[in-house]
Amino acid sequence: MSAPAVDCRDLFRVHRTREGDAAALQGLTLTVAAGEAVACLGPSGSGKSTLLHVLAGLEAPSAGRALVLGTDLSRVRSRARARLRREGLGLVGQHGERALPPDLTIRDAVALPLTLRGHGRAAARRIATEHLARVGLAAAAGARAVELSGGERQRAAIAAAIVHAPRLLLADEPTGELDAASAAAVLALLREVARERGMAMLLVTHDPATAAAMDRRVHVRDGRVSDEDSGGGTAVVVDRGGWLRVPAETLRAAGITDRATARAEDGRVVLEPAGAGGGAPAVPAAVPAAVPAAVPRPEVPAATAGRAAGVRAEVCGLRRAYGVRVVLDGLDAAWALGTFTVVTGRSGTSKSTLLRLLCGLEPPDAGTIRVGAADLGALDRAGRAALRARDIAYVGQGDVLLPHLGPAEQPGPAPALVTPWLRALGLGERLRQPVGRLSGGERRRAAIARALASARGLVVLDEPTSALDEAGAEALGALLRTVAHEHGRTVVCATHDPVLAAHADGELTLGGRPLGPRPAPGRDPRAA
């Protein structure tokens, strides 16, 4: 039997912060066999991304063992970890553009891992072109990253991660910015490549479809593997020393709150509420179903409160091209004040481009863009920047926060304005934690909170739930609906997430089928 691709035992990773040490991994134990595909799931902040960073040699273990492709990462220096990444690993992060040098074409960016390993330029470009075709980007091989949609950049990053035939692929939300059809195609490709090359995969994901496509699913909570499922049912993992994590819904159904008694009985371990008598667990006659907590409603600062602060936005005859590649042609759309609209469509239908045009971050080739009374075509760069500062809050697909500062300490709105929104998005305990120590989902929520704190009219969010689990997407959708309906903002989100879209008043679909039936974009839900 071949050695496992990943073998972690009692793995700890501790971050030092101003508030004290914070343990992201707390005795995690996990094995991934050679050629095995494993999905890693868990709530935001549970340690999933930190696990990938340790296995990739980007962070050193604080204690325990992390054996990756035969290299014990707790015993080697940074140079050896870099060599392991270069020779044996494929890495896919949450933001595909970071793997694609902006001054190179996509073909040359994908070929770069091969040229760094000694391949000739012609051979590297030929192999890169083959991999781009496999992810559906053959026609975009000569484009640069800025000319691609977020989903296209993610697919290009996946091609770059597997072009050199790694023995282990580590991927953080690889399908988070892809529509369902593109995600399914990418997953099929990865499974095909894994079979061809004996490549093992460890994928962090919140997507049930992605997880279901893997050989095994492990859940991480509080820095440990709590349970796993390989198709034969879910098994709770018992860590060294007898530690195990019982699902909260199971404890709730048994009437167990903060204390329990445990005893061995006929080859079983029986848990019951502390103080209950022997025998069967004392289950209340009627256990209420778990009800998600209501989304907290932050107190909107007086300067930005009220419907009068909102704006209407519209585009007429909008056209945008990158060289000979036309991505938008003659688009008309309008967004009414106080509504929440999602922009949907398959990866590559230019949802992100539309949002950047709407915010004045890119100029259109033709057509009109109006935000409130402003015609963006009549403004120079400084004028568009002033408009954004006054009327538009925008969060793109990448991180926009400084890693050494806490979410409440970033440049922009004062902490007193931001804090209620951070609390509303579940970050009340992370207010001064350096952003670099937050999970991908927590950083995403922090960026959104700061945008909402500064929003005076138009709120534009690009794939806001790409790093969030279903509960986080549900909470964000409810909050954005409140922001639109009760605080008078005009909210526009590009998304592939049906959970978020279910909260929207309208759906604008680019180049394909909508996620589901909804009122027409721009219709005021209160007009009925």
Side-chain angles (χ1 to χ4, degrees):
M1 180 180 295
S2 58
V6 173
D7 187 8
C8 299
R9 290 287 181 271
D10 302 318
L11 184 62
F12 283 79
R13 173 57 181 165
V14 178
H15 295 136
R16 296 190 178 278
T17 71
R18 287 168 292 182
E19 292 77 24
D21 292 348
L25 300 177
Q26 304 186 64
L28 181 141
T29 295
L30 172 67
T31 299
V32 178
E36 185 183 22
V38 176
C40 182
L41 303 100
S44 176
S46 59
K48 307 183 301 298
S49 294
T50 298
L51 172 62
L52 290 193
H53 291 167
V54 170
L55 297 181
L58 300 172
E59 298 184 27
S62 301
R65 185 180 74 179
L67 201 64
V68 176
L69 301 180
T71 298
D72 189 345
L73 298 179
S74 63
R75 297 178 178 272
V76 298
R77 297 182 180 274
S78 58
R79 181 174 297 181
R81 295 198 296 268
R83 184 169 60 251
L84 172 67
R85 283 194 299 275
R86 184 174 64 252
E87 296 177 356
L89 302 184
L91 305 178
V92 180
Q94 291 181 3
H95 307 297
E97 65 273 10
R98 296 180 180 176
L100 306 172
D103 56 335
L104 297 181
T105 65
I106 298 303
R107 179 192 294 109
D108 288 338
V110 174
L112 186 59
L114 295 173
T115 57
L116 292 175
R117 290 166 175 81
H119 285 68
R121 186 169 184 266
R125 297 186 85 193
R126 177 181 54 77
I127 297 170
T129 300
E130 293 171 356
H131 280 72
L132 285 171
R134 296 182 78 172
V135 296
L137 291 176
R144 285 172 167 74
V146 71
E147 300 172 13
L148 302 184
S149 72
E152 288 172 326
R153 288 195 296 268
Q154 190 71 356
R155 283 186 277 152
I158 290 170
I162 62 175
V163 71
H164 60 288
R167 294 163 56 197
L168 171 63
L169 177 70
L170 301 174
D172 197 351
E173 297 288 358
T175 61
E177 296 177 0
L178 303 180
D179 61 274
S182 296
V186 164
L187 290 173
L189 168 64
L190 291 178
R191 294 309 306 263
E192 179 184 348
V193 170
R195 286 192 296 269
E196 290 174 358
R197 304 172 181 175
M199 179 180 72
M201 293 190 289
L202 179 61
L203 274 59
V204 165
T205 185
H206 288 121
D207 179 23
T210 298
M214 300 296 103
D215 300 323
R216 182 162 54 103
R217 289 148 293 283
V218 298
H219 289 79
V220 174
R221 295 180 185 271
D222 305 319
R224 291 188 177 99
V225 174
S226 61
D227 54 83
E228 65 176 50
D229 174 16
S230 57
T234 300
V236 175
V237 173
V238 181
D239 255 348
R240 184 176 298 181
W243 287 100
L244 56 83
R245 193 183 194 282
V246 181
E249 57 271 22
T250 302
L251 297 175
R252 189 183 301 113
I256 296 174
T257 54
D258 59 341
R259 294 289 188 278
T261 61
R263 68 177 187 276
E265 182 178 286
D266 299 329
R268 299 176 298 165
V269 174
V270 178
L271 295 177
E272 58 186 5
V283 180
V287 179
V291 178
V295 177
R297 183 179 302 167
E299 181 180 351
V300 181
T304 63
R307 290 177 50 76
V311 297
R312 185 177 188 273
E314 65 177 339
V315 297
C316 299
L318 191 63
R319 187 179 194 275
R320 181 64 166 132
Y322 297 104
V324 299
R325 188 174 180 235
V326 178
V327 297
L328 293 170
D329 193 9
L331 177 68
D332 297 326
W335 298 273
L337 183 153
T339 56
F340 172 21
T341 305
V342 291
V343 180
T344 64
R346 289 199 62 174
S347 171
T349 52
S350 300
K351 300 181 298 295
S352 297
T353 298
L354 172 60
L355 266 54
R356 291 195 296 269
L357 291 166
L358 188 60
C359 295
L361 295 169
E362 291 187 24
D365 295 316
T368 303
I369 304 171
R370 290 186 178 275
V371 176
D375 179 352
L376 270 65
L379 301 176
D380 59 13
R381 179 176 294 185
R384 295 194 300 269
L387 176 67
R388 284 194 296 274
R390 184 179 69 247
D391 284 335
I392 303 174
Y394 171 73
V395 179
Q397 293 180 4
D399 291 336
V400 294
L401 301 174
L402 299 177
H404 60 284
L405 296 178
E409 302 165 325
Q410 300 285 322
L417 302 181
V418 178
T419 296
W421 297 99
L422 291 168
R423 294 189 189 282
L425 286 165
L427 295 173
E429 297 180 359
R430 299 285 197 270
L431 298 179
R432 297 186 180 279
Q433 183 80 261
V435 166
R437 302 304 188 197
L438 302 184
S439 72
E442 289 170 332
R443 289 195 300 270
R444 195 75 172 142
R445 284 181 279 151
I448 293 168
R450 296 193 65 78
L452 295 176
S454 64
R456 296 177 181 271
L458 180 63
V459 180
V460 180
L461 307 175
D462 198 351
E463 297 289 356
T465 63
S466 62
L468 303 184
D469 55 22
E470 184 172 346
E474 182 73 34
L476 179 60
L479 183 60
L480 292 178
R481 190 175 180 88
T482 297
V483 167
H485 293 186
E486 300 186 21
H487 304 150
R489 305 301 179 259
T490 304
V491 181
V492 181
C493 293
T495 188
H496 293 117
D497 189 345
V499 174
L500 181 68
H503 290 273
D505 305 311
E507 181 173 346
L508 171 64
T509 304
L510 301 181
R513 181 181 298 177
L515 291 177
R518 282 184 184 77
R523 185 177 77 85
D524 190 331
R526 297 170 299 283

